[in-house]
Amino acid sequence: MNDDSFIHLCQPAGGKSCGACCGLYNYADSSRDSLAARIRARTRRFHAAVKGTNDLPSFAAITRECEDQTKRYEVIYCCEYLGFLDQGESRVGCLLHPLQNDGLDMRDVSFYGRELCDGHFCPSYHYLTKEEKLSLIYIIDDWYLYGLCVTDIDLVKEWFRLIASMIYEVPPPERFRRGKLREISSRFFSRKISWPFRSEAANRLGKYYFDGSQYMINHIDYDSLGRERSRFDKIFLSLSSEFKTGSDVDEAEGIIQSDVDEFVAAYKE
Ligand code: SF4
Ligand code: SF4
């Protein structure tokens, strides 16, 4: 992946980054406040106590002891070396990375090992188009939301598919740098956090749930709600939706449709 068109999704620019594959969202309490407090405390501990590789075992032991280790999915590792990379706490990332330690790479001690940590590219690298990647990077300026969205391929693809089908073209990423199109898209993606029909079940993350032994893909039982499968089904699953009545589905469709309609109107202005 060494060509000029390569877009680094993990650490794309100031103000956002992702730590999802380091287990960031796998704590039972993965709310923003809880994760921020956890990461803030361990980052401070790291900078105060770690001067070299020899200090890492005690840092890891104390961190595991101090933090609530209850996980969403037991089989996914939550790495204790994920921290904030900047003073402003706008980017999460690896505290063992050489760029954080004057060139010293300490990732050999990690659960996955240096090679995996260094060479892992999640499916979003392969499945999102260049336009989708760039647009998303321009739209979201928030580490917590960015990591949730960049790893949700369905959510990203569905948004850009829906709007492209209405404006008959793929909007150039540049148009998402500022202004109304960015604002509307940002509101759409922030529904990942603020969606009123979001299930609070700890074993749910986007379209997946864990049944105790394996990941399963969730389905919405439209029949029992007296509705046809929604045209926004993939989005609803990505938003961990749990509908109690058919009217819930109607309302949810109205919300997404108005995001799309508003975008289309603003695009034509
Ligand atoms: S989940 Fe993907 S984008 Fe996020 S840190 Fe891992 S490889 Fe990077
Ligand atoms: S050691 Fe590996 S898993 Fe842990 S934070 Fe660093 S990159 Fe992520």
Side-chain angles (χ1 to χ4, degrees):
M1 296 210 181
N2 266 339
D3 60 279
D4 290 345
S5 63
F6 180 70
I7 295 162
H8 203 288
L9 290 179
C10 311
Q11 298 288 336
K16 74 211 74 174
S17 68
C18 177
C21 60
C22 310
L24 178 62
Y25 304 106
N26 192 37
Y27 295 101
D29 183 357
S30 285
S31 60
R32 178 196 295 275
D33 287 351
S34 165
L35 288 186
R38 179 188 291 268
I39 291 174
R40 180 176 306 126
R42 71 163 73 142
T43 303
R44 286 182 185 156
R45 185 178 309 117
F46 185 92
H47 290 307
V50 177
K51 305 294 171 218
T53 317
N54 291 343
D55 301 319
L56 293 174
S58 65
F59 165 82
I62 295 169
T63 300
R64 281 195 291 264
E65 206 178 295
C66 292
E67 295 183 2
D68 181 357
Q69 297 298 316
T70 319
K71 292 178 185 172
R72 197 192 290 274
Y73 306 138
E74 268 312 313
V75 290
I76 296 180
Y77 191 72
C78 293
C79 185
E80 60 276 33
Y81 298 115
L82 186 71
F84 280 123
L85 301 185
D86 59 328
Q87 289 276 342
E89 301 184 346
S90 71
R91 287 187 300 129
V92 288
C94 183
L95 294 171
L96 303 180
H97 194 279
L99 287 176
Q100 291 293 305
N101 298 287
D102 298 324
L104 177 64
D105 190 342
M106 298 194 278
R107 290 174 292 177
D108 275 331
V109 305
S110 74
F111 176 78
Y112 293 116
R114 195 190 61 76
E115 262 182 48
L116 254 187
C117 286
D118 192 37
H120 176 68
F121 295 101
C122 69
S124 301
Y125 274 91
H126 305 286
Y127 290 112
L128 298 183
T129 64
K130 185 181 175 188
E131 286 77 18
E132 288 164 347
K133 289 174 187 166
L134 277 177
S135 303
L136 192 72
I137 289 167
Y138 291 146
I139 291 165
I140 303 180
D141 257 335
D142 167 8
W143 63 269
Y144 184 78
L145 182 62
Y146 176 75
L148 284 173
C149 292
V150 75
T151 50
D152 192 332
I153 294 169
D154 282 352
L155 186 71
V156 177
K157 288 217 161 284
E158 281 298 289
W159 174 245
F160 291 111
R161 184 189 66 76
L162 278 170
I163 56 179
S165 73
M166 298 298 294
I167 57 178
Y168 304 111
E169 63 181 10
V170 174
E174 287 299 316
R175 295 206 59 185
F176 292 98
R177 272 188 182 274
R178 58 189 71 81
K180 230 170 163 185
L181 299 182
R182 179 176 185 270
E183 219 175 274
I184 297 163
S185 302
S186 165
R187 190 184 60 210
F188 168 79
F189 283 109
S190 70
R191 300 202 186 282
K192 188 81 181 159
I193 303 170
S194 62
W195 187 232
F197 303 101
R198 180 166 173 249
S199 163
E200 291 304 326
N203 66 345
R204 283 285 300 272
L205 189 64
K207 69 178 176 181
Y208 299 103
Y209 72 97
F210 194 65
D211 74 348
S213 61
Q214 58 184 326
Y215 292 105
M216 312 281 278
I217 294 193
N218 206 59
H219 292 285
I220 296 168
D221 184 358
Y222 291 103
D223 280 349
S224 73
L225 297 164
R227 295 291 183 278
E228 298 283 314
R229 182 176 184 270
S230 174
R231 61 196 183 283
F232 300 132
D233 181 62
K234 283 188 174 181
I235 291 175
F236 291 164
L237 289 174
S238 280
L239 298 177
S240 304
S241 305
E242 188 176 55
F243 299 123
K244 294 195 169 49
T245 63
S247 314
D248 284 353
V249 178
D250 301 339
E251 192 185 331
E253 286 184 335
I255 295 171
I256 302 300
Q257 189 61 55
S258 84
D259 285 346
V260 174
D261 291 345
E262 237 186 279
F263 184 95
V264 173
Y267 196 80
K268 291 175 180 162
E269 274 171 11

